[in-house]
Amino acid sequence: MSSDDEAPTADGGTASQSEAVEDRRSEEHPLEWDEPENNDKAPDERDSVSHRTEKYDDRKLVTGQAKYTADYEERYPDLAYAAVVRSDIPHGRVTDIDTSDAEAMDGVDAVLTPESDAVPDGKYTSAGQSYPEPSPWDMHVLNKHVRYIGDPIAAVAAEDRTTATAAVEAIEVSYEEYDYVTDPEAAFDENAPQLFEDVEVENEIVGHDYDRNRMAHIGGELGDVAAALDGETHVHETEWETIRQSHANVEKHTSLAYTNEDDRHVLITSTQVPNHTRRQLAHLFDIPIRDIRVQKPRVGGGFGGKQAMVVEPIPLALSLATDRPVLYEASREEEFYAMRSRHPMKVKAKTAVTDEGDIVAIDIYALSNTGAYGSHGMTVAGNVGSKPLPLYSKVPNARFEADIVHTNTPQTGAMRGYGAPQGTLALEGHLDEVARDLGLDPIEFRRRHHMEVGDLDEIAGMMGGEGANRRIRSCGLDECIERGKDAIGYDDLEQPDEDHLHRGIGMALSAQGTGVAGDELGAAQIMMNEDGSFHLQVGGVDIGTGADTAFLQIAAEVLGCDEDDIIVKSADTDVTPFDYGAYASSTTYISGMAVKKAAEDAKARILHWGSKLLEEPVEELETGDGTVYSEASGDSVTLEDIGYEAAYGGDEREHILGKGTHCTEESPPPFAAQFADVTVDETTGEFEVQKLVVAVDCGVAINPGMAEGQIEGANHMSYEMAVSDGITLDDEGRAEIADFDEYGLPSATETPPIESILVETHEPTGPFGAKSVAEVPTNTVPPALSNAVRDAVGVRIREMPITADKIKTQLDERNS
Amino acid sequence: MDIELTINGERTTVEAGSADDLATVLRQHGYIGVKCGCDGGTCGASKVFVDGEVRMACGMAAVDADGSEIQTVAALGTQNDLHPVQQAFVDNFAVQCGFCIPGMVIQAVALLDSNPDPTEREVREALDDNVCRCTGYQKPVEAVLDAAERMRGAQSVAADGGHSVTVSPNANESTRCCGGDCDE
């Protein structure tokens, strides 16, 4: 599919201009960097960071005491339960909603339709992003114009779940049905059924063309790709396809709303984005932001599916209508058809490579199916190019373009990796094929071009303008490759004894970001108690990753105390400072740096009081082991003594408080090298993955045990993307999946062993040298496994999932 | 109708409708360690012991449990005195969001009761219907193998607060229930 000429392109400029630009860039992006204080400690000098500290909520979790949203049920004896009427046609207009039978049922408290007073009729996006959201406002809480099987139409609150479900079933909806389209290429056609009129969308996105169901078109170019492709080179082109993957968070989307004794509206909710949710609800319901409180309890997995205000407006509207607390817990079936999924995409990769094996141009085009609504559509598609392409920062010409189109299919959204898995499959599969075609070793081929410390990454700025170019200050790619090769046994591969079995190893590289450059904010504050303990209040959001523990370790490292001496309270908008939320691999980097600054602020006051008590200058003092001590004199005073003295002694009494806010223009990439060891049966196409190895450079791992868990979990999710069908749809766009058994998440026996390797580098812009870890290993198994199958039996699977049937078909075609 | 249950050693009478599943009834009585991740028997988060057998409480009618002895994850150990399986999950970083963990712990305890020296394959087979989205099974499998080793060795299991508990080499009913002192 061709794209039109709306893509912004970079100006190549003259040679003299380029030199001037280069100089200015060097100034703006110096390689040298002022190391933040305390960042340069060697691992063995750190007391808390770099240690396998026990995850602070684990004892509650393993004994079943920890509270998730649904566990607050018992606190509210007059709780009502919500259920939702959803469209069972793919496209049309609701002409009538007969709620009379439902309203007459015993135990039904309220039935809301799009016309109800308590239901906002404004447009919004469910995407939990910064303001104004880089997603179109194209949704309503309840809908008259329905665009997919699953669009919410009406909502019920009832005494119990059974009654709520029965009431939903008693509601009759009449429709005027429209033509529908579920295929993204067909949707792009001028004659396809149209999902939106321009007037139905606010906050429109660049390149939108609703006459062609196009939500956005984006792109950027570095150098002159067309000229490079026309040169004396080998030009290769391949096309790749990815699945509609479910987040499959084991805790379903759950939200509880009520109005408290101060007339303020409280949501206890399973979310990654409490502050964005508060703002979005305030705008939607026309309630002042200060009158909404969003509390995040333990969260049972998010993976991006809860980086969205998916369910919260429903219980809030019902609680306003009934004056009761209302709990809405999506059903497992709703999770698959009415919550969110990864954008299925087709991605084309094209390269120009010289006889000598130099890549002179890379050209990527993505067609993304955003489904019925546009949440995260443009930004996810942008990452298809902007995350993997910088791996090859030495390539002089690069282009990326994407079209994001609407279809009458379930909603997509943010998901771990956020476009990078789709782009990484295309790029890493493509380069592997090019290397093999040219008779080059795929690993050495990558090594000639991949990013290194000191590189100015202009591809990062390709779509964001020159200001978005970045200097790479930490990169462990070579070590990731070496250690991964060793662990998988790359250099001494033994073939099976049986002639029909063939063993192969595939590898793929990956890069991600750490936070969104120039668009993140985290804040934290620390209060010292008089017994020398601390309360850490942080806006950062732990959704099960262990972020709270990482925050404790960072604070304890600075304050020189035990983690147990700090109580952490995270993500309650009434209590904790502002934070953008848990997404874009930002939590440890952004919120963690805010915690570090808050702790340093508190430490300065602690040293001041230590100086008074020890009668030594502040410059001589340090914190450690719960004390302030002087190396010069050997004297020390406990934090407890300081706490009492600050609170009760002297004329200059003070409550020792520290605060920290962090935002940055940086987004340093973590890196990964993935290896997959596969044996393929050439008579049947059946394959077995013996092992997955993934080596990750995440800078300094604040807690190596937790970091390994993140890596292995991400790799498992990535493996699923390579071998599972995902959410399959019928011709009308109806999800064919209702439960975990049908979804086909690889189980414990179906998942190969995963070996995670931490490659420690030092990212000077991160807290104690940390960058991100949780997303980068989500990108790599599909290309590594495709490459391994190619290595084993010589056929190439480009359409996910990789199945025995597809391999067999290609083997048969080749052999015929 | 009223049904009689002994839950974590405590005898109680609860009301249950014919359509109520056991998970819902247990949760209504405060046993929040019984989790509901699916809507009937496909994720394993609601696993409990019913008369010593592992059952998914969400897939079992409450009335069918009338007269039964039930143990939830809270019966296995307290925060200060964890069961060796729970301790191994903590020590091996096998817990992320934790939503699936009560069901996993129950299943792992059941496995080690019947097979104190399982192979990795046997552990994976035992956990095959426990859905975990966060860790990808690698660390839970390592945790169960670690727990097996600790229990076989009757190793003293560290617990915070100065307590420790010695586990009998043959893990049996007594390690699964606190004998009525559970405080869930």
Side-chain angles (χ1 to χ4, degrees):
Chain A
M1 183 171 305
S2 67
S3 48
D4 62 22
D5 56 3
E6 287 183 36
T9 56
D11 181 0
T14 64
S16 59
Q17 281 172 330
S18 295
E19 282 167 21
V21 166
E22 191 61 41
D23 286 342
R24 187 159 54 79
R25 282 173 186 164
S26 299
E27 225 167 78
E28 284 175 7
H29 303 278
L31 177 57
E32 297 305 318
W33 186 261
D34 292 334
E35 290 269 336
E37 205 178 339
N38 293 340
N39 250 14
D40 51 355
K41 275 189 182 175
D44 58 358
E45 291 174 336
R46 298 173 197 139
D47 295 316
S48 189
V49 163
S50 296
H51 287 64
R52 293 176 183 260
T53 305
E54 179 178 307
K55 194 159 156 285
Y56 105 103
D57 49 358
D58 261 8
R59 286 169 185 269
K60 274 196 158 57
L61 294 168
V62 297
T63 53
Q65 312 283 328
K67 279 194 166 182
Y68 304 78
T69 299
D71 300 326
Y72 286 81
E73 187 176 18
E74 60 182 338
R75 189 184 279 183
Y76 305 99
D78 60 339
L79 188 67
Y81 296 83
V84 176
V85 179
R86 295 183 178 278
S87 172
D88 56 12
I89 65 164
H91 197 196
R93 184 161 293 277
V94 174
T95 54
D96 185 53
I97 309 174
D98 183 355
T99 59
S100 53
D101 287 352
E103 283 170 353
M105 288 170 69
D106 284 344
V108 170
D109 290 306
V111 180
L112 300 182
T113 70
E115 314 293 345
S116 302
D117 289 344
V119 177
D121 59 3
K123 300 182 185 85
Y124 75 108
T125 175
S126 64
Q129 299 168 294
S130 56
Y131 181 83
E133 296 89 359
S135 288
W137 298 351
D138 56 9
M139 299 177 62
H140 290 91
V141 174
L142 298 176
N143 292 276
K144 286 176 275 194
H145 182 171
V146 291
R147 297 182 174 89
Y148 75 102
I149 293 172
D151 231 350
I153 294 170
V156 171
E159 300 290 327
D160 55 61
R161 289 178 169 90
T162 310
T163 307
T165 305
V168 159
E169 284 165 5
I171 291 171
E172 296 282 335
V173 180
S174 308
Y175 305 94
E176 177 192 355
E177 296 196 35
Y178 300 162
D179 290 341
Y180 60 88
V181 59
T182 57
D183 177 75
E185 281 174 322
F188 210 40
D189 192 282
E190 287 174 349
N191 300 317
Q194 190 175 334
L195 272 75
F196 288 93
E197 303 279 346
D198 264 324
V199 293
E200 293 179 288
V201 181
E202 293 174 24
N203 193 39
E204 293 163 325
I205 303 305
V206 59
H208 66 86
D209 179 358
Y210 286 105
D211 291 343
R212 298 177 67 196
N213 290 313
R214 192 168 76 183
M215 190 213 98
H217 174 88
I218 54 170
E221 185 169 3
L222 177 73
D224 188 340
V225 169
L229 289 168
D230 282 345
E232 296 291 311
T233 55
H234 302 276
V235 175
H236 297 254
E237 183 167 2
T238 52
E239 183 170 336
W240 307 78
E241 191 170 339
T242 61
I243 64 167
R244 180 184 292 270
Q245 190 178 19
S246 174
H247 302 84
N249 29 266
V250 186
E251 181 208 23
K252 298 169 279 190
H253 285 77
T254 311
S255 187
L256 192 162
Y258 65 100
T259 302
N260 76 5
E261 61 277 15
D262 298 322
D263 299 327
R264 295 171 62 258
H265 308 287
V266 183
L267 282 109
I268 301 171
T269 190
S270 183
T271 181
Q272 297 173 232
V273 283
N275 282 95
H276 291 329
T277 297
R278 180 178 68 157
R279 184 196 73 240
Q280 289 173 306
L281 288 173
H283 287 191
L284 199 52
F285 284 83
D286 197 21
I287 294 170
I289 280 180
R290 63 178 168 270
D291 285 338
I292 295 177
R293 176 180 190 177
V294 177
Q295 291 177 275
K296 178 212 69 78
R298 293 296 96 198
V299 167
F303 316 111
K306 294 170 182 171
Q307 193 208 333
M309 190 171 71
V310 181
V311 293
E312 287 84 353
I314 302 265
L316 179 55
L318 286 166
S319 80
L320 293 171
T322 59
D323 203 19
R324 291 175 66 163
V326 176
L327 174 72
Y328 178 38
E329 185 176 4
S331 69
R332 181 50 59 185
E333 189 173 4
E334 281 179 306
E335 285 289 327
F336 289 113
Y337 80 95
M339 299 296 127
R340 299 294 179 269
S341 64
R342 193 186 293 286
H343 293 74
M345 290 193 201
K346 288 186 178 174
V347 186
K348 284 182 185 169
K350 195 190 275 189
T351 49
V353 184
T354 65
D355 287 337
E356 293 74 38
D358 290 326
I359 308 172
V360 292
I362 302 179
D363 191 12
I364 304 277
Y365 170 78
L367 175 65
S368 176
N369 180 358
T370 191
Y373 296 96
S375 79
H376 294 281
M378 184 266 284
T379 38
V380 163
N383 276 6
V384 173
S386 65
K387 291 295 182 280
L389 275 171
L391 275 170
Y392 302 103
S393 56
K394 299 189 190 310
V395 175
N397 304 287
R399 181 166 60 191
F400 172 69
E401 289 191 34
D403 285 303
I404 302 99
V405 296
H406 284 295
T407 59
N408 297 106
T409 59
Q411 292 195 64
T412 50
M415 186 165 176
R416 196 175 193 173
Y418 205 80
Q422 295 94 324
T424 305
L425 169 65
L427 183 61
E428 288 298 287
H430 177 88
L431 292 182
D432 194 85
E433 196 61 27
V434 169
R436 289 171 193 278
D437 281 357
L438 296 177
L440 303 170
D441 178 83
I443 294 180
E444 294 312 312
F445 182 56
R446 287 179 174 87
R447 277 194 160 152
R448 291 167 68 164
H449 301 92
H450 80 58
M451 181 176 261
E452 294 172 295
V453 170
D455 282 359
L456 181 67
D457 173 17
E458 293 175 290
I459 291 177
M462 192 166 82
M463 287 184 294
E466 227 168 66
N469 292 342
R470 61 184 171 185
R471 187 68 77 177
I472 299 304
R473 300 184 174 90
S474 60
C475 178
L477 265 176
D478 279 326
E479 189 180 340
C480 287
I481 292 169
E482 279 312 311
R483 291 177 63 186
K485 275 174 76 175
D486 286 348
I488 203 86
Y490 188 83
D491 290 326
D492 39 23
L493 188 67
E494 284 182 19
Q495 289 298 328
D497 293 335
E498 299 91 330
D499 288 344
H500 61 107
L501 297 180
H502 302 276
R503 190 171 170 211
I505 290 180
M507 75 89 67
L509 301 182
S510 178
Q512 194 81 23
T514 305
V516 186
D519 191 38
E520 284 283 356
L521 168 63
Q525 58 192 18
I526 285 178
M527 304 190 296
M528 188 180 191
N529 299 311
E530 58 265 50
D531 65 352
S533 64
F534 298 90
H535 281 272
L536 167 62
Q537 296 161 326
V538 53
V541 186
D542 189 333
I543 55 171
T545 57
D548 284 352
T549 311
F551 297 151
L552 288 179
Q553 290 180 258
I554 290 167
E557 184 71 40
V558 175
L559 294 166
C561 65
D562 197 88
E563 296 93 14
D564 288 346
D565 292 330
I566 309 175
I567 306 295
V568 63
K569 175 70 184 171
S570 69
D572 174 342
T573 59
D574 262 21
V575 178
T576 57
F578 195 86
D579 195 284
Y580 276 29
Y583 60 87
S585 285
S586 68
T587 307
T588 300
Y589 185 71
I590 301 286
S591 312
M593 191 62 107
V595 168
K596 184 164 181 276
K597 288 180 174 179
E600 284 163 354
D601 197 29
K603 180 180 171 181
R605 297 311 302 163
I606 289 167
L607 292 181
H608 166 79
W609 283 91
S611 169
K612 284 174 77 163
L613 289 172
L614 293 172
E615 297 180 343
E616 290 191 55
V618 164
E619 295 71 35
E620 301 291 328
L621 303 179
E622 191 44 88
T623 55
D625 291 332
T627 69
V628 170
Y629 63 92
S630 163
E631 276 187 10
S633 68
D635 290 345
S636 68
V637 57
T638 65
L639 294 182
E640 183 172 7
D641 288 341
I642 288 174
Y644 274 98
E645 184 65 20
Y648 298 113
D651 293 335
E652 297 172 351
R653 290 185 293 274
E654 72 168 302
H655 185 186
I656 293 178
L657 297 167
K659 65 180 169 60
T661 292
H662 191 66
C663 26
T664 172
E665 298 295 317
E666 300 281 331
S667 177
F671 299 96
Q674 174 83 52
F675 293 81
D677 176 351
V678 69
T679 301
V680 185
D681 184 334
E682 70 174 359
T683 59
T684 62
E686 285 168 0
F687 62 95
E688 188 180 348
V689 181
Q690 269 80 30
K691 193 176 183 186
L692 297 171
V693 169
V694 59
V696 178
D697 156 26
C698 66
V700 166
I702 299 292
N703 184 321
M706 296 193 323
E708 287 165 6
Q710 289 291 302
I711 292 167
E712 290 157 16
N715 228 220
H716 175 254
M717 189 177 277
S718 190
Y719 178 68
E720 175 198 324
M721 198 178 159
V723 301
S724 296
D725 290 331
I727 303 171
T728 55
L729 307 177
D730 71 9
D731 291 344
E732 290 185 301
R734 179 183 287 102
E736 295 173 312
I737 308 295
D739 60 38
F740 279 120
D741 282 351
E742 290 172 350
Y743 180 64
L745 195 73
S747 69
T749 55
E750 292 161 348
T751 306
I754 297 169
E755 181 177 342
S756 56
I757 298 169
L758 285 169
V759 170
E760 181 147 310
T761 59
H762 186 94
E763 171 54 43
T765 66
F768 297 102
K771 46 189 180 180
S772 72
V773 68
E775 288 193 282
V776 72
T778 317
N779 306 332
T780 41
V781 181
L785 191 52
S786 175
N787 297 345
V789 170
R790 172 73 172 75
D791 190 48
V793 288
V795 300
R796 171 63 68 179
I797 308 301
R798 297 193 177 92
E799 182 187 331
M800 298 300 106
I802 298 167
T803 64
D805 281 349
K806 288 178 188 171
I807 295 172
K808 178 75 164 66
T809 301
Q810 286 209 20
L811 285 168
D812 290 347
E813 280 171 10
R814 189 186 66 187
N815 297 338
S816 68
Chain B
M1 64 177 279
D2 285 348
I3 58 171
E4 294 268 331
L5 298 173
T6 303
I7 311 172
N8 296 346
E10 199 167 331
R11 222 176 149 78
T12 183
T13 303
V14 301
E15 199 185 309
S18 58
D20 289 342
D21 60 69
L22 180 61
T24 302
V25 170
L26 290 170
R27 287 180 55 79
Q28 279 170 348
H29 288 80
Y31 296 95
I32 60 169
V34 182
K35 298 295 178 197
C36 297
C38 54
D39 299 314
T42 61
C43 81
S46 73
K47 282 181 177 178
V48 296
F49 287 106
V50 178
D51 293 330
E53 295 288 318
V54 175
R55 301 291 298 267
M56 291 200 204
C58 71
M60 178 179 186
V63 292
D64 289 346
D66 191 13
S68 296
E69 189 169 320
I70 290 163
Q71 282 130 20
T72 74
V73 71
L76 300 175
T78 64
Q79 289 184 56
N80 290 333
D81 189 8
L82 297 176
H83 184 282
V85 169
Q86 292 169 319
Q87 187 71 54
F89 269 71
V90 173
D91 293 345
N92 286 277
F93 293 90
V95 184
Q96 288 187 31
C97 87
F99 200 85
C100 70
I101 293 299
M104 280 230 188
V105 166
I106 292 273
Q107 186 63 61
V109 169
L111 168 71
L112 299 184
D113 270 2
S114 61
N115 181 1
D117 190 10
T119 62
E120 178 182 339
R121 183 70 196 173
E122 286 167 338
V123 172
R124 286 183 181 266
E125 282 168 1
L127 298 178
D128 217 32
D129 61 358
N130 287 84
V131 170
C132 169
R133 183 46 138 172
C134 295
T135 71
Y137 306 107
Q138 189 66 35
K139 292 208 182 301
V141 168
E142 288 166 6
V144 177
L145 291 168
D146 184 23
E149 197 176 322
R150 294 174 190 217
M151 290 166 73
R152 284 197 310 275
Q155 186 183 330
S156 181
V157 177
D160 66 358
H163 301 287
S164 69
V165 57
T166 301
V167 180
S168 69
N170 299 312
N172 55 28
E173 198 72 11
S174 66
T175 62
R176 281 205 260 106
C177 181
C178 58
D181 294 332
C182 324
D183 60 356
E184 185 176 64

